[in-house]
Amino acid sequence: MVRGNQTTTITEFLFSGFPQFEDGSFLFFIPLFIIYIFIVIGNLIVFFAVRMDTRLHNPMYNFISIFSFLEIWYTTATIPKMLSNLISKQRTISMIGCLLQMYFFHSLGNSEGILLTTMAIDRYVAICNPLHYTAIMTPRLCAQLSAGSCIFGFLVLLPEIAWISTLPFCGPNQIHQLFCDFEPVLRLACTDTSMILIEDVIHAVAIIVSVLIISLSYVRIITVILRIPSVEGRQKAFSTCAAHLAVFLMFFGSVSLMYLRFSATFPPFLDTTIALMFAVLAPFFNPIIYSLRNKDMKIAI
């Protein structure tokens, strides 16, 4: 902190969501490190399996490979810093570092959310309009949708991060979380915090719109699948959607718990658990779901 003219300008933040006992921190470090290595290796295997096996060169697996690639960087935005804080006594992050962590974590999360919505629409077209699927989901359109998901996910957050960077921070500097997030950081700003409600509304609308689109797509998909006369046909159709539906429930379920609560406050332990759920556990299960529940993916791997 820098003092001058009776004011204090915050230049770094202190994370207070970590275990407070030094000996126990290393016990958290080991499993988190193993989980992170598994996430990176698991998603790399899924990504390269799709890219190298020509049998998987179709829109569904292309979207899965892009999603796996994003997952690697999504977790890298937060977990390495968590690991560093677990074995460090300072547990601090600079103002610029905090803004960058928020930007990349949420931009990658936004890109994943948009991509999951695109994957739901892809499954809707494949099952509900199979005769026109190849004509609609062309390689060019798939590339545009994948690139558009990433570009929009990164651009939409720029104004928000730019606004936060202009706020004055002159009071407490303790972030009650495991990583930099909008609500804990905004509460430290020395200005009117009513903007937090606006932030919550913006995030809530984005989450609800994505959830509605995916939910409506799968309601229609399940309705069509139940009309398939053969049991084998129904099972095959369900199997192609089961993995994506499971990832959707984990991703948006944990995100909803975190960002659709508005002014409701949770106990610190529950708050940390929810944060770990969508920042660590959901990415941990994704490569397992996509590889073990998919026969073609298992063969490719």
Side-chain angles (χ1 to χ4, degrees):
M1 294 186 292
V2 179
R3 296 186 180 276
N5 298 327
Q6 303 299 321
T7 62
T8 304
T9 301
I10 300 299
T11 59
E12 63 181 15
F13 294 109
L14 173 67
F15 293 107
S16 61
F18 290 88
Q20 297 300 313
F21 41 95
E22 295 182 7
D23 295 337
S25 297
F26 196 71
L27 297 177
F28 288 88
F29 176 90
I30 296 174
L32 184 59
F33 177 75
I34 294 172
I35 289 173
Y36 176 62
I37 294 299
F38 176 84
I39 290 171
V40 173
I41 294 176
N43 281 292
L44 279 176
I45 289 173
V46 172
F47 176 79
F48 283 111
V50 173
R51 296 296 166 180
M52 297 176 68
D53 194 321
T54 55
R55 293 169 296 180
L56 302 182
H57 290 178
N58 59 55
M60 182 180 73
Y61 289 111
N62 175 67
F63 292 138
I64 288 175
S65 69
I66 299 297
F67 186 83
S68 295
F69 183 75
L70 291 174
E71 283 282 77
I72 295 171
W73 300 108
Y74 175 76
T75 52
T76 300
T78 56
I79 296 182
K81 184 60 178 176
M82 289 186 201
L83 291 170
S84 173
N85 287 331
L86 281 170
I87 57 176
S88 172
K89 294 182 178 180
Q90 292 184 334
R91 296 174 181 173
T92 59
I93 187 170
S94 67
M95 173 70 75
I96 295 176
C98 187
L99 291 172
L100 288 174
Q101 187 179 66
M102 281 195 295
Y103 175 68
F104 283 106
F105 179 72
H106 284 282
S107 293
L108 289 161
N110 286 343
S111 299
E112 289 185 359
I114 299 169
L115 196 60
L116 283 173
T117 306
T118 303
M119 291 164 70
I121 296 172
D122 170 71
R123 290 299 85 204
Y124 171 82
V125 176
I127 293 174
C128 300
N129 199 0
L131 297 178
H132 298 91
Y133 178 70
T134 54
I136 295 173
M137 299 301 293
T138 61
R140 181 179 180 181
L141 179 61
C142 292
Q144 291 173 340
L145 290 172
S146 299
S149 299
C150 298
I151 292 171
F152 182 78
F154 275 82
L155 289 180
V156 72
L157 211 66
L158 279 176
E160 194 170 357
I161 294 296
W163 168 69
I164 294 175
S165 68
T166 63
L167 296 178
F169 293 90
C170 56
N173 69 333
Q174 287 194 354
I175 297 177
H176 300 288
Q177 190 51 274
L178 300 176
F179 52 86
C180 288
D181 205 357
F182 290 121
E183 195 269 344
V185 171
L186 286 174
R187 290 197 178 278
L188 300 178
C190 302
T191 184
D192 182 14
T193 56
S194 60
M195 285 296 294
I196 296 176
L197 180 60
I198 298 176
E199 295 291 309
D200 288 341
V201 171
I202 294 172
H203 297 157
V205 169
I207 294 169
I208 291 171
V209 168
S210 297
V211 170
L212 283 176
I213 293 174
I214 296 175
S215 299
L216 290 174
S217 297
Y218 272 95
V219 167
R220 177 60 179 162
I221 288 170
I222 292 172
T223 302
V224 171
I225 290 176
L226 293 175
R227 293 176 184 171
I228 298 175
S230 67
V231 175
E232 183 180 351
R234 287 198 299 270
Q235 289 178 343
K236 184 177 180 180
F238 269 122
S239 66
T240 60
C241 301
H244 175 257
L245 192 56
V247 172
F248 157 68
L249 291 173
M250 280 197 308
F251 181 85
F252 280 102
S254 56
V255 167
S256 298
L257 283 173
M258 194 69 184
Y259 298 110
L260 294 184
R261 57 186 178 181
F262 294 98
S263 59
T265 57
F266 295 153
F269 176 78
L270 182 59
D271 212 27
T272 301
T273 302
I274 295 172
L276 286 173
M277 191 184 301
F278 78 87
V280 178
L281 293 184
F284 172 76
F285 285 109
N286 288 344
I288 298 175
I289 293 171
Y290 280 130
S291 59
L292 296 182
R293 288 190 55 86
N294 190 298
K295 181 180 178 181
D296 295 333
M297 187 69 75
K298 283 192 289 185
I299 294 172
I301 293 174

